[in-house]
């Protein structure tokens, strides 16, 4: 294991990558803001689709302000890290609900599909809550003296727990994709392929990107020896999930409008 005192004073790689992820997220937000206005704000807003979209997009946007605050003294690291964990959990729940609702609609509101999604989703949320119950590592006192801001020091035990948490997210994404793919194949056999084809394209892209990042994140927790860098991909993975779901919803709403025109 790397010696914490070996690091020079500065910003940790994990914090640097987290800030870079925020900047890229804001850039993507600016690129898609005009579409958001046209496809959501100027359309009927008393819908669950609108509520889920806005929650995913703006909790991701405003909920990451503490990442920037954590770079400047005085630091209240335990409170900021707990807040970041809560925001990450909220975003994962919202993302899961959006994907589950999409699959539920594809299966014509089949209660068996809904029950399966709810059971797996509750298990994943329970695992995430268990991970958030960990207290701040005592070694973080050393980390705060070594790095500026609030470096995230993850012990080997905590790393294995967080790997299980992201494994649960991967499990839910896999279930959603499998159900979506099964339904779309059956729809194609009936000749109904235009709208569903694009849905499959977006769903497959979302699954491919999130699977790659989730696997990389899990491997980082389990393989990286430096306790300051084990969580280096955690924040980018969470932000990428927000961006991918926002893009998915924007593309589907745009396609609906084109078909109705």
């Amino acid at each position: 294991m790397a010696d914490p005192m070996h690091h020079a004073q500065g910003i940790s790689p994990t914090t640097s990558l987290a800030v870079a992820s925020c900047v890229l997220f804001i850039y993507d937000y600016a690129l898609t803001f005009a579409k958001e206005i046209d496809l959501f704000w100027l359309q009927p807003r008393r819908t669950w689709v609108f509520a889920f979209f806005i929650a995913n997009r703006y909790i991701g946007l405003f909920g990451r302000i503490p990442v920037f605050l954590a770079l400047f003294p005085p630091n209240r690291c335990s409170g900021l890290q707990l807040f970041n964990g809560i925001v990450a959990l909220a975003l994962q729940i919202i993302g899961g609900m959006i994907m589950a609702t999409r699959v539920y609609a594809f299966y014509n509101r089949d209660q068996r599909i809904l029950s399966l999604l709810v059971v797996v989703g509750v298990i994943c949320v329970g695992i995430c809550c268990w991970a958030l119950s960990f207290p701040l590592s005592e070694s973080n006192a050393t980390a705060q003296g070594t790095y500026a801001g609030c470096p995230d020091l993850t012990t080997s035990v905590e790393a294995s727990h967080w790997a299980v948490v992201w494994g649960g997210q991967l499990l839910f994404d896999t279930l959603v994709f499998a159900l979506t793919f099964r339904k779309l194949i059956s729809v194609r056999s009936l000749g109904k392929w235009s709208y569903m084809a694009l849905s499959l394209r977006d769903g497959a892209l979302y699954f491919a990107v999130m699977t790659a990042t989730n696997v990389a994140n899990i491997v980082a927790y389990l393989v990286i020896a430096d306790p300051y860098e084990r969580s280096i991909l955690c924040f980018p993975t969470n932000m990428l999930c927000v961006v991918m779901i926002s893009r998915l919803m924007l593309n589907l709403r745009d396609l609906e409008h084109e078909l109705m025109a």
Side-chain angles (χ1 to χ4, degrees):
M1 179 181 295
D3 182 3
M5 296 306 295
H6 175 72
H7 295 274
Q9 179 71 28
I11 298 176
S12 70
T14 300
T15 303
S16 300
L17 194 56
V19 173
S21 301
C22 281
V23 172
L24 291 175
F25 174 79
I26 294 172
Y27 176 70
D28 181 79
Y29 171 81
L31 288 178
T32 57
F33 182 70
K35 266 193 171 183
E36 175 189 330
I37 296 296
D38 291 338
L39 299 176
F40 283 91
W41 290 102
L42 297 181
Q43 305 300 323
R45 287 177 279 180
R46 294 183 179 181
T47 64
W48 284 110
V49 173
F50 176 83
F52 283 147
F53 176 82
I54 296 302
N56 176 72
R57 195 159 166 90
Y58 285 95
I59 291 177
L61 180 64
F62 295 113
R64 294 313 182 179
I65 293 176
V67 173
F68 292 95
L69 297 180
L71 292 175
F72 306 100
N75 303 121
R76 297 179 179 178
C77 291
S78 59
L80 289 173
Q81 288 171 351
L82 176 61
F83 179 80
N84 283 334
I86 293 173
V87 170
L89 175 60
L91 289 173
Q92 294 300 325
I93 292 174
I94 293 170
M97 292 176 68
I98 291 172
M99 301 306 292
T101 302
R102 180 170 172 264
V103 172
Y104 181 50
F106 280 160
Y107 278 83
N108 297 319
R109 300 183 179 182
D110 190 327
Q111 295 298 316
R112 296 170 299 176
I113 298 298
L114 178 62
S115 299
L116 175 61
L117 291 168
V118 168
V119 169
V120 176
V122 168
I123 292 174
C124 294
V125 171
I127 294 174
C128 290
C129 292
W130 171 63
L132 285 177
S133 67
F134 297 143
L136 178 67
S137 173
E138 294 179 0
S139 300
N140 272 3
T142 302
Q144 292 166 21
T146 304
Y147 282 125
C150 294
D152 186 6
L153 190 152
T154 306
T155 66
S156 57
V157 174
E158 292 170 339
S160 62
H161 290 164
W162 281 108
V164 172
V165 170
W166 287 102
Q169 177 67 30
L170 181 61
L171 171 64
F172 189 81
D173 287 343
T174 303
L175 173 64
V176 167
F177 177 77
L179 291 172
T180 302
F181 188 78
R182 177 177 177 271
K183 185 62 177 179
L184 292 176
I185 291 300
S186 65
V187 169
R188 185 186 183 187
S189 66
L190 297 175
K192 303 175 181 179
W193 188 236
S194 58
Y195 177 80
M196 292 298 185
L198 293 177
S199 298
L200 175 60
R201 180 204 65 185
D202 290 345
L205 178 62
Y206 168 85
F207 175 77
V209 172
M210 291 312 303
T211 296
T213 53
N214 273 327
V215 169
N217 190 25
I218 293 169
V219 171
Y221 272 115
L222 297 177
V223 173
I224 293 179
D226 191 331
Y228 298 109
E229 298 180 11
R230 286 184 176 127
S231 61
I232 192 168
L233 296 179
C234 179
F235 193 93
T237 299
N238 199 256
M239 296 305 297
L240 183 60
C241 179
V242 175
V243 170
M244 292 295 293
I245 289 179
S246 295
R247 288 276 185 169
L248 178 66
M249 297 185 73
L250 285 168
N251 288 345
L252 290 178
R253 180 62 69 91
D254 193 21
L255 178 61
E256 288 176 1
H257 280 237
E258 289 181 4
L259 293 176
M260 293 175 60

